[in-house]
Amino acid sequence: MCIDIVVVDDDPGFRRIATMLLTARGLRVVAESRDGASALAAVREHHPQGLLLDLHLPDLDGLSVARQLAQEEAPPRIVLTSTDRSLWSQEELETAGIECFVAKDKLVDADLRSLFASAAT
């Protein structure tokens, strides 16, 4: 089964790299968004199983986007990413509906398929 993902980041270069990484791991990127508002719209339109979400966006931060999606029916599995290594407790992430945090410089080594896999079951 193919796992549909939306990639959210204000940097088009990072979106391109993330899309290549996800695709190389057998995931399908169905949309890319540059800000929180378009991310919410893309999730509502495409109903992806996963969301690779940047923390710092021009309008809403990633935690705000995640909190809004967590209140909807069948929200996607969210992996938060950033260059900011702020520490959040697992409880804070879970409360916001975030599966985990992966630093952008560690994304290439992350098992992205596994992080999103249970979203498809």
Side-chain angles (χ1 to χ4, degrees):
M1 176 179 197
C2 192
I3 301 170
D4 293 341
I5 307 293
V6 170
V7 175
V8 183
D9 197 287
D10 57 329
D11 179 351
F14 180 79
R15 289 194 311 266
R16 185 176 59 253
I17 291 167
T19 296
M20 289 180 352
L21 286 171
L22 291 161
T23 302
R25 287 165 175 79
L27 304 165
R28 180 173 54 196
V29 175
V30 295
E32 295 180 12
S33 299
R34 61 179 181 79
D35 57 36
S38 64
L40 293 168
V43 169
R44 291 171 181 146
E45 178 182 346
H46 296 283
H47 306 286
Q49 290 86 24
L51 183 67
L52 182 63
L53 179 62
D54 186 26
L55 174 63
H56 300 292
L57 300 169
D59 55 354
L60 301 169
D61 65 59
L63 291 174
S64 296
V65 171
R67 286 184 190 110
Q68 287 186 45
L69 291 173
Q71 295 183 20
E72 297 190 8
E73 187 175 327
R77 178 168 238 165
I78 300 172
V79 174
L80 187 67
T81 189
S82 179
T83 55
D84 180 2
R85 296 188 186 275
S86 297
L87 299 176
W88 299 277
S89 71
Q90 188 62 31
E91 182 180 344
E92 286 175 294
L93 296 177
E94 288 174 5
T95 300
I98 296 168
E99 179 67 24
C100 67
F101 173 82
V102 178
K104 284 185 177 181
D105 63 347
K106 302 294 182 193
L107 205 58
V108 71
D109 298 321
D111 187 355
L112 296 170
R113 184 149 187 90
S114 291
L115 291 176
F116 290 113
S118 62
T121 55

